Amino acid sequence: MERKSRQKAAVELHPRWRVSAGKNIAVGPGKVDLLELIAETGSISKAESKMGMSYMRAWSLVKTMNESFKSPVLIAERGGRDRGGATLTDTGKAVLKLYRQIEKESLKVIQPKWRSLQLLLRD
Amino acid sequence: MERKSRQKAAVELHPRWRVSAGKNIAVGPGKVDLLELIAETGSISKAESKMGMSYMRAWSLVKTMNESFKSPVLIAERGGRDRGGATLTDTGKAVLKLYRQIEKESLKVIQPKWRSLQLLLRD
């Protein structure tokens, strides 16, 4: 959704769906990006460094996700030579897929309203 | 969207649409809640106190909104006996309405996916 290389200050609409479970955020934009990067890199440490996040912070987000769902979102090896090696579980894969579908479907349906809102915004 | 009086720690899905304009957030969940409360109370000071927000913070959010749209979202009287008295402009009313419609339409369309996601979440 972010286009950091874009030249001008673009006006953009971002879905930032949040699943709250009591006081916890089970999943939101940051957690799902982390999940996706872990799926891509196979490693928590590679994913956190790409996000500019500390290892402990990434672990904390993973921990909250694991506690929020009926089964863990990923299986991780902590420490050792493969420090941060991690694989998404079926639950993790399903959460990632459903969250991205929620973003995509919601973005599609609101386009007419978004165009109306854009007309009111400064260029 | 928030139900503070709810007894148990409910699992909830919140759309938190964000309109970014360069480095600024033109409108998001907090700003639109403020706009709605100003519309309801006719006063920035009443709106900010209901949100537990400082007067200067509320003014800062209003300022960013006013700068982000082609015309201001509200006309406010600052100081004097009617300190904080404020009325939404046509632009402000349209922004509020469109944002709430975006929330409503997006929430509706993603219900099937949300039900699938809920099945994975702990009770």
Side-chain angles (χ1 to χ4, degrees):
Chain A
M1 228 60 64
E2 311 286 341
R3 294 283 177 274
K4 283 180 183 171
S5 60
R6 199 172 275 189
Q7 298 289 309
K8 65 188 279 277
V11 167
E12 291 175 343
L13 181 65
H14 304 278
R16 296 173 56 82
W17 291 95
R18 174 184 287 177
V19 177
S20 60
K23 285 179 183 175
N24 281 340
I25 299 171
V27 63
K31 288 194 179 80
V32 89
D33 283 353
L34 178 65
L35 216 52
E36 191 164 57
L37 277 170
I38 293 170
E40 283 171 17
T41 62
S43 155
I44 294 182
S45 57
K46 282 179 190 160
E48 37 103 333
S49 73
K50 282 197 180 196
M51 288 185 80
M53 187 183 278
S54 75
Y55 190 68
M56 288 316 292
R57 171 76 182 147
W59 262 102
S60 161
L61 297 185
V62 166
K63 187 169 171 278
T64 303
M65 281 190 277
N66 280 347
E67 288 169 355
S68 301
F69 290 93
K70 285 175 186 163
S71 59
V73 294
L74 60 81
I75 295 168
E77 291 173 39
R78 199 168 182 181
R81 231 174 48 169
D82 292 334
R83 185 177 184 267
T87 316
L88 260 55
T89 60
D90 287 346
T91 294
K93 287 175 192 166
V95 169
L96 175 57
K97 189 175 177 183
L98 285 167
Y99 189 95
R100 292 304 187 210
Q101 286 173 330
I102 284 171
E103 288 183 315
K104 197 175 170 183
E105 289 179 9
S106 60
L107 263 170
K108 191 176 173 189
V109 78
I110 56 83
Q111 287 305 308
K113 294 293 186 298
W114 170 227
R115 279 191 288 275
S116 300
L117 195 55
Q118 272 178 295
L119 293 176
L120 301 174
L121 285 157
R122 249 182 232 285
D123 296 321
Chain B
M1 228 60 68
E2 311 286 342
R3 294 284 177 274
K4 284 178 182 171
S5 60
R6 201 171 276 190
Q7 298 291 309
K8 65 189 277 277
V11 167
E12 291 176 344
L13 181 65
H14 305 279
R16 294 173 57 82
W17 291 96
R18 174 184 288 178
V19 177
S20 59
K23 286 179 183 174
N24 281 340
I25 299 170
V27 62
K31 288 193 179 78
V32 89
D33 283 351
L34 178 64
L35 216 52
E36 190 165 59
L37 277 170
I38 292 169
E40 283 172 15
T41 62
S43 153
I44 295 181
S45 56
K46 282 180 191 160
E48 38 101 334
S49 73
K50 282 198 180 197
M51 288 185 80
M53 187 184 276
S54 75
Y55 191 68
M56 288 315 291
R57 171 75 182 147
W59 261 102
S60 162
L61 298 185
V62 167
K63 187 170 171 278
T64 304
M65 282 191 277
N66 280 346
E67 288 169 356
S68 301
F69 291 93
K70 285 175 186 164
S71 59
V73 294
L74 60 82
I75 296 168
E77 290 174 39
R78 199 169 182 179
R81 231 174 48 169
D82 291 334
R83 185 177 184 267
T87 316
L88 261 55
T89 61
D90 286 347
T91 294
K93 286 175 193 166
V95 170
L96 175 58
K97 189 176 176 182
L98 284 166
Y99 189 95
R100 293 302 187 210
Q101 285 174 330
I102 284 171
E103 288 184 314
K104 196 176 170 183
E105 290 180 9
S106 60
L107 263 170
K108 190 178 173 187
V109 77
I110 56 81
Q111 286 305 309
K113 294 291 186 299
W114 169 228
R115 279 191 289 274
S116 300
L117 195 54
Q118 272 178 295
L119 292 176
L120 301 173
L121 285 156
R122 249 182 234 285
D123 296 321

